């Protein structure tokens, strides 16, 4: 079973790519994505604020739900984002993280305002 620390680490890795504007790496790290690089850019541009790295303890209470009925342990994860202007923002990165034999398998589900 995947530890909570590993889920946090994977979510943080994905958020770090997003904060750096490295959409290519974010998409390359995703086994599947419902969004394109242009989609990600558009959502962030339209939000109108500058993304920043979250505080080090930001994901201690990560919003994640175990998905039942999957062949490998899988979680739906909502990773909140931070901006320079507001701190924790309403913008959220939604991921599905499964535990594969070679490590976490990530799907990029959505980037939106909650």
């Amino acid at each position: 079973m995947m530890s909570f620390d590993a889920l946090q680490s994977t979510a943080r890795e994905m958020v770090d790519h997003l904060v750096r504007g490295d959409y290519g790496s974010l998409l390359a790290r995703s086994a599947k994505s419902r969004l394109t690089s242009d989609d990600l850019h558009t959502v962030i541009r339209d939000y109108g604020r500058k993304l920043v790295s979250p505080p080090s303890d930001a994901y201690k209470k990560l919003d994640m739900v175990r998905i039942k009925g999957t062949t490998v342990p899988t979680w739906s994860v909502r990773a909140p984002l931070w901006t320079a202007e507001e701190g924790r923002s309403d913008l959220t990165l939604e991921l599905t993280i499964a535990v594969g034999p070679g490590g976490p398998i990530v799907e990029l589900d959505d980037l939106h305002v909650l």
Side-chain angles (χ1 to χ4, degrees):
M1 185 164 162
M2 185 175 213
S3 74
F4 181 72
D5 288 345
L7 287 169
Q8 284 179 314
S9 175
T10 301
R12 182 173 290 281
E13 173 190 355
M14 300 301 279
V15 167
D16 287 346
H17 289 308
L18 192 61
V19 167
R20 289 192 310 270
D22 189 358
Y23 308 135
S25 291
L26 178 69
L27 293 171
R29 176 67 176 88
S30 303
K32 220 191 272 189
S33 177
R34 290 171 181 78
L35 302 169
T36 65
S37 183
D38 287 342
D39 294 334
L40 296 166
H41 175 75
T42 299
V43 170
I44 292 168
R45 184 196 66 218
D46 290 354
Y47 192 68
R49 293 170 183 89
K50 179 177 176 15
L51 292 182
V52 296
S53 293
S56 59
D57 66 345
Y59 294 141
K60 288 191 183 217
K61 295 181 180 178
L62 192 60
D63 180 8
M64 59 183 199
V65 176
R66 176 85 185 263
I67 300 172
K68 295 181 180 178
T70 56
T71 55
V72 297
T74 305
W75 287 264
S76 173
V77 178
R78 289 185 181 169
L81 300 175
W82 269 252
T83 66
E85 297 82 1
E86 28 175 30
R88 184 174 175 163
S89 74
D90 293 330
L91 202 57
T92 301
L93 182 65
E94 291 191 5
L95 308 165
T96 300
I97 304 174
V99 183
I105 300 167
V106 182
E107 293 181 19
L108 177 57
D109 297 325
D110 205 357
L111 173 65
H112 63 95
V113 175
L114 279 183

